[in-house]
Amino acid sequence: MQHTVHMFYKLNYHFYTALFEVLQQLSASNRTKFYKEVDGTYHCHLLLKETGIKLILRSKEYEEGISYKALEIIMNPMRLLDENDYLQLASMENSKAIYAAFKRAFEPIKKKFESKKRNRKFIFKLHLLDTYSFKRVDFAVNFYTEHIKLYMKLIRRSNVPSGFQQFVMYKESSKRCEPPEHSFYLFRKSKSGSKSSRVTLNIQCYDKGEQLKEHNLDRDERAEYTIRFEVQCHYSKVYRIIKRNGLNRQGFSQFLREDISEHELQKYFKKTIGYGDYYTLSKAKEFIGSKRLGLEMKQSLIETLELVSAKRGIWKAKEVVADKKEFDKRIKKLHELEVNPVTIPVTEGIDYLPCLFDL
């Protein structure tokens, strides 16, 4: 299942200049935003309101006469089909409709571009989805539950895998940086070690209703009961997916394949939230005590459950343990036994919640 894509199509100087002029003119006549960002890119909102497509013109000059000029597109494919749909995710069954809607959205740009005599030497292919290569692909899955607030409370206590960092933001009320209130948001950077190292992967799990509320967006009633788990793959990660699956550099529909999205979603769900069910601490300890395990193993797992409970989170517990590798092994073992190391506070009045993927 797919949520958002960031695509690009490289242009030569003359095509870039001609396209720039057309987008600028259409934006003026349609009274839509066309502006320069601090990074030097030009953002065009010509198609944004009705289709959710953001157009970006990027031009960079490097040494030795090398340059990069491109049209970049950020879009949520389902908003092509319904401009107010911020909930549903794109799948292969939507493929034909998405291709047709994309082509239709670009028709005014194509018509204006080709109406100019000096542009007749160019072949306009920007209305064809398979023209573009990919900078980022976001895979996602929606979970529906009436216990959304409790699930999110527990999810925010999940594991932060090695190599990942938790996203934090400054909170005026506490005068310190804290994780977002309604989401569990992790990111991983490239291993260059420099200040300019780039983010290669984001993992987000969030309350969809709260997210729409924060952005003042129309809310589908179902969003109030929706938890979204999302894996955002940036360029280097996308390239590895292409290589591993024998995909083409262009071809939108290949990223709608269920096996590809499922592989990435399940891989990172397992690393972070995990497939164990949620119990109260006493129930989890009772469950471990009933398993055929050595006494030493049982004791170490129970100690891990108690520590995670006391620290209110796996990532917080990991900060205080001396042997982090051993701690990770115990967390992994608990998940293998289908017990989530994060336990339900007794005050919640619920002693069991299934793994989200079992809903």
Side-chain angles (χ1 to χ4, degrees):
M1 305 286 272
Q2 190 188 95
H3 174 237
T4 304
V5 288
H6 186 166
M7 309 180 294
F8 69 97
Y9 180 65
K10 289 183 180 179
L11 307 169
N12 64 33
Y13 171 81
H14 299 290
F15 199 119
Y16 178 90
T17 304
L19 181 64
F20 187 102
E21 182 182 300
V22 166
L23 292 179
Q24 194 173 44
Q25 289 174 356
L26 284 174
S27 296
S29 61
N30 285 273
R31 297 183 179 180
T32 56
K33 290 183 179 180
F34 185 94
Y35 59 95
K36 189 176 184 179
E37 271 287 5
V38 292
D39 64 355
T41 59
Y42 285 86
H43 288 229
C44 175
H45 290 191
L46 181 65
L47 306 179
L48 187 62
K49 185 178 179 182
E50 294 182 356
T51 66
I53 295 176
K54 182 183 286 186
L55 304 173
I56 301 171
L57 288 163
R58 191 180 299 273
S59 177
K60 285 188 176 182
E61 300 295 332
Y62 301 98
E63 294 179 359
E64 299 177 359
I66 299 172
S67 66
Y68 169 85
K69 297 183 186 303
L71 172 67
E72 298 185 1
I73 288 175
I74 299 175
M75 75 170 186
N76 175 340
M78 293 307 288
R79 287 197 61 212
L80 273 172
L81 309 184
D82 178 354
E83 63 186 89
N84 296 314
D85 190 347
Y86 294 96
L87 182 63
Q88 301 304 309
L89 299 166
S91 63
M92 192 61 82
E93 66 183 27
N94 308 119
S95 178
K96 189 175 180 180
I98 291 169
Y99 273 78
F102 187 86
K103 191 173 184 179
R104 195 161 52 245
F106 264 83
E107 199 55 43
I109 299 173
K110 182 175 185 290
K111 186 177 180 181
K112 179 75 170 177
F113 187 92
E114 292 178 341
S115 69
K116 295 179 178 291
K117 289 183 180 180
R118 62 180 176 276
N119 291 344
R120 288 177 182 174
K121 58 185 176 182
F122 300 121
I123 299 174
F124 190 96
K125 297 192 294 184
L126 301 176
H127 62 307
L128 304 175
L129 253 179
D130 287 344
T131 294
Y132 298 87
S133 299
F134 294 84
K135 291 192 80 168
R136 192 183 110 191
V137 179
D138 296 357
F139 300 110
V141 59
N142 288 336
F143 302 105
Y144 303 98
T145 173
E146 62 181 313
H147 299 295
I148 184 168
K149 301 305 178 187
L150 178 52
Y151 266 112
M152 284 309 308
K153 182 177 183 177
L154 301 174
I155 286 166
R156 292 176 75 245
R157 301 179 178 188
S158 298
N159 188 34
V160 178
S162 177
F164 283 85
Q165 300 174 54
Q166 191 163 190
F167 176 80
V168 294
M169 52 200 303
Y170 183 74
K171 206 169 183 181
E172 187 63 39
S173 58
S174 63
K175 304 294 182 184
R176 63 182 181 182
C177 289
E178 296 180 3
E181 187 179 352
H182 302 292
S183 72
F184 183 60
Y185 185 178
L186 310 178
F187 64 93
R188 183 178 68 194
K189 287 189 171 184
S190 57
K191 296 179 180 179
S192 66
S194 66
K195 290 183 179 180
S196 61
S197 59
R198 295 183 177 182
V199 172
T200 60
L201 190 76
N202 292 337
I203 300 171
Q204 288 194 67
C205 191
Y206 54 94
D207 181 327
K208 187 61 182 175
E210 290 292 345
Q211 186 240 10
L212 293 178
K213 190 191 299 182
E214 287 169 6
H215 290 85
N216 296 314
L217 296 172
D218 292 337
R219 280 185 286 165
D220 186 309
E221 191 177 278
R222 292 167 296 175
E224 302 299 326
Y225 305 95
T226 302
I227 292 174
R228 175 169 290 173
F229 181 74
E230 194 169 306
V231 177
Q232 301 172 349
C233 304
H234 293 257
Y235 185 76
S236 59
K237 175 66 176 175
V238 171
Y239 179 74
R240 289 198 295 274
I241 292 172
I242 289 172
K243 195 172 181 181
R244 187 183 68 240
N245 292 281
L247 307 180
N248 298 314
R249 286 180 179 257
Q250 291 86 26
F252 173 79
S253 64
Q254 60 190 349
F255 286 104
L256 295 176
R257 279 173 43 184
E258 189 176 344
D259 61 318
I260 292 175
S261 61
E262 190 173 328
H263 178 272
E264 299 304 325
L265 290 167
Q266 299 219 17
K267 175 181 178 181
Y268 292 105
F269 189 91
K270 182 179 179 181
K271 283 176 176 283
T272 55
I273 298 168
Y275 287 106
D277 295 335
Y278 294 99
Y279 299 88
T280 57
L281 179 59
S282 60
K283 287 280 185 182
K285 288 163 71 173
E286 184 182 319
F287 187 91
I288 296 301
S290 69
K291 291 294 179 182
R292 287 189 170 185
L293 299 167
L295 189 60
E296 190 177 335
M297 174 60 78
K298 283 185 182 181
Q299 188 58 40
S300 67
L301 294 180
I302 288 171
E303 286 174 1
T304 301
L305 286 169
E306 290 174 337
L307 178 62
V308 172
S309 176
K311 295 298 179 182
R312 298 186 180 183
I314 298 173
W315 61 275
K316 288 182 179 179
K318 192 189 289 189
E319 289 177 349
V320 301
V321 297
D323 191 338
K324 288 179 171 48
K325 284 188 177 180
E326 179 59 32
F327 178 81
D328 284 339
K329 285 180 184 177
R330 293 179 186 182
I331 295 297
K332 183 179 179 181
K333 183 64 178 177
L334 284 165
H335 281 302
E336 287 173 357
L337 294 169
E338 299 182 350
V339 176
N340 201 301
V342 175
T343 51
I344 305 171
V346 176
T347 52
E348 296 292 340
I350 294 175
D351 61 9
Y352 171 78
L353 285 174
C355 167
L356 284 175
F357 267 98
D358 291 336
L359 292 177

